Amino acid sequence: MGVIRKKIAARGGEGGVKYVCDVCSADITSTVRIRCAHSACNEYDLCVQCFAQGASSNAHQPQTHPYRVIEQNSFPIFDREWGADEELLLLEGAQIYGLGSWADIADHIGGYRSKDEVRDHYLQVYVDSPNFPLPKRCSPHDMELANEISREEFQARKKRRIEERREAAKNAPTLQAKTKPTASVPSCHEIQGYMPGRLEFETEFCNEAEEAVQLMQFDPGDGINPRTGELEPEMELKLTVMEIYNCRLTQRVERKKVIFEHNLLDYRENTKSEKKRSKEERDLLNKAKPFARMMNRVDFEQFCQGLIDELNLRQAIAQLQEWRSLRIGDLRSGEKYEQEKQARIQKSIPLGSMDRERLASAQRSKQPPPPDPPSGAALLVQPELPARMQSPHVIAEAEKLSSVKVEPGQLNGGSVIVANGDTTPSKHKSLPQPIPGIQPLALSQDNAPDLHLLTPEEVKLCEVLRIQPKPYLMIKEQILKEAVKGNGSLKRKQAKDICRVDQQKGGRIFDFMVNAGWVVKA
């Protein structure tokens, strides 16, 4: 019996091999057909009626040409859901299209078989068989399935399955038209040289790797010395070259994996995000790109964000240190200094008369360009902290304090009792009085490096008590920590013990904090 060739095949839907009578053109796919066995007639089929009448066409001669009767082998032999005819079409499709082309093989079989269904059946029946490469029921005497399920019952199941899948295909939603071309050519993608349909590049990593192995030949039993049974040097060399080739293929796959994992093919989106960054941030991220090979996308994005935050903090610290060396004590003055600094740099650029006239006319005719978005370092040194950087608790407390008022007679033991009202709270500030016998110390940036960390009232307190800012800050931190443990209240004796200075100075510090509202006197 020769190989049955496909005559009419339709992709999608029922598909499969279709046979028609070469005389009356009737569909004889699902019935018995007569095939001419003469060499002059290639794939010449007749229906039973035309064969009985002796009809012919072309070069067919029914009086002298031999013939074969081909019937439908619609009964199970290897699987309860697959007939012998489908098994033949599966093997024929694999021979024509090659293993792996499951979509083409499924269309060759027809009957609304999907490519996944065909692949799973092939692996289960043929590959996973204990009699590999033959199926488990490969014996011609094994008629267990054929006797278990009658031919009429099997054909009824097949017809019911085809009708159900035909209805499901009709009710399936239509696929949306693709907006981008899917042809595997480099011109159809925003990355030059990338072929999206094949997930390959026109120039791959180690593009000449195949040249070393393209002329190699391996014959069965070749390369083994018949006397010693060991590999010959030539075969060892071939295997070494193949090992090198496999390593290059592995490296090629790893590089593609990095490209797909980190969405490097979305060139336009990546370019838009890079334009929003400063030059320093772009240079930093370019240096960090090699680490993407050992991280997934989420971890790498978090890593890059951490590097950018560190860069912004370093720039902000350097700017604050520069302002501090210039005796700039607040952020608003620092911002004003930066604006004046940029103006001075702009004025220092030498311009000719023609350049000045051109610049003046351009400024008169054009509107000023929109300002660039502030960098991460600039946001950290703004005079007013953005609302997004404040915690919700701080914002809620600020709104709460803005809607209370302090009654004149409601100061009791240093604690403030607030009541609802519309007026803003008024702070009761008292300047520390000098201690008899102790000369106040004049503090400045020269003899007190941490002076800028104190409020004016705290500076006055340190001058009166002759305490440097750094020790005072340590005392303040310890007192506030101890007060938090006691729900905000603290005794004078506890504060004096924490200060570890003169008792009189410790009492003054405690009174100052009580008066400022930081601590409640217990």
Side-chain angles (χ1 to χ4, degrees), residues 103-123:
D104 293 329
I105 297 175
D107 289 336
H108 186 76
I109 296 172
Y112 289 94
R113 295 285 189 185
S114 64
K115 61 178 183 179
D116 297 334
E117 185 180 6
V118 174
R119 182 192 65 237
D120 296 340
H121 174 75
Y122 181 83
L123 295 177

Side-chain angles (χ1 to χ4, degrees), residues 121-188:
H121 174 75
Y122 181 83
L123 295 177
Q124 180 182 358
V125 174
Y126 295 93
V127 178
D128 299 336
S129 170
N131 300 328
F132 177 82
L134 298 177
K136 180 180 179 181
R137 306 179 186 274
C138 59
S139 175
H141 304 290
D142 189 352
M143 302 295 294
E144 181 181 353
L145 291 179
N147 296 331
E148 179 182 349
I149 305 174
S150 62
R151 180 173 298 198
E152 292 77 11
E153 181 183 356
F154 183 81
Q155 290 180 351
R157 288 184 183 178
K158 181 178 179 181
K159 183 178 180 181
R160 185 164 55 251
R161 186 192 73 241
I162 292 175
E163 290 177 355
E164 291 175 356
R165 297 189 179 184
R166 184 186 293 116
E167 291 297 327
K170 290 181 180 179
N171 299 329
T174 57
L175 298 177
Q176 296 181 356
K178 296 183 178 180
T179 56
K180 291 185 178 180
T182 57
S184 292
V185 292
S187 60
C188 292

